[in-house]
Amino acid sequence: MFANVMLGLGVMVVCLFVQALLVAVAVVFYARRRESIDAQSFTSTVILIGAVMLVLVLGNFLQVSIWGAVFVTLGEFESYRTAAYHSAVNFATLGYGDIVMSEEHRILGPMQAINGVLMIGVSTAVMMSALQDALSRTVEARKQE
């Protein structure tokens, strides 16, 4: 079990780096384009926030893919498709239970769920920060009309 916990922690660290990189990409993307919000256009605000969300969601999907690849490498699933599905269920903490891993690697499921909660939380925090900034900039731009 110790080896699986260490493996899980290693994958979590990799996912943390992926998340940090994509948060940085999303923040830089937002910062470089936030002036478009001053144009008083609700549409430009929605497009900008949507793009930030897309980057963050792609980051979460990338992490699901990484965990799926780990599960296939461990021999838990024969097809990557099944491993990716199981990984997505774990990451989103749905816990369907329709597909379960062997007892040998079962601890990785809850570890991935913890990872998913944390990383989705980070994505949510970044989204809320961008949304709050965008809304306040939109309100200020409309006041200056």
Side-chain angles (χ1 to χ4, degrees):
M1 182 165 142
F2 180 74
N4 284 314
V5 170
M6 295 309 293
L7 173 64
L9 289 173
V11 176
M12 289 173 82
V13 168
V14 169
C15 287
L16 176 63
F17 281 116
V18 167
Q19 186 73 20
L21 175 65
L22 289 168
V23 163
V25 168
V27 168
V28 168
F29 179 84
Y30 177 80
R32 289 186 178 164
R33 289 162 182 81
R34 68 190 276 217
E35 290 78 28
S36 67
I37 295 171
D38 292 336
Q40 305 167 14
S41 168
F42 180 72
T43 305
S44 65
T45 302
V46 169
I47 290 170
L48 181 56
I49 295 300
V52 169
M53 182 180 75
L54 181 63
V55 169
L56 295 170
V57 168
L58 288 174
N60 289 323
F61 279 126
L62 180 57
Q63 292 171 70
V64 165
S65 299
I66 290 168
W67 278 98
V70 169
F71 297 154
V72 169
T73 302
L74 291 172
E76 282 297 316
F77 304 102
E78 290 184 18
S79 78
Y80 180 76
R81 184 177 183 178
T82 302
Y85 166 76
H86 180 73
S87 176
V89 168
N90 284 344
F91 197 83
T93 69
L94 289 172
Y96 287 152
D98 55 339
I99 300 173
V100 295
M101 294 197 303
S102 69
E103 194 171 320
E104 180 183 2
H105 299 115
R106 196 171 292 166
I107 190 68
L108 294 175
M111 291 184 77
Q112 185 189 13
I114 292 167
N115 185 207
V117 167
L118 293 172
M119 296 305 110
I120 291 170
V122 169
S123 295
T124 302
V126 171
M127 278 297 306
M128 280 307 300
S129 292
L131 182 60
Q132 287 174 332
D133 182 68
L135 290 175
S136 68
R137 291 176 73 82
T138 300
V139 167
E140 285 302 313
R142 290 187 177 185
K143 283 182 182 177
Q144 294 177 11
E145 286 184 341

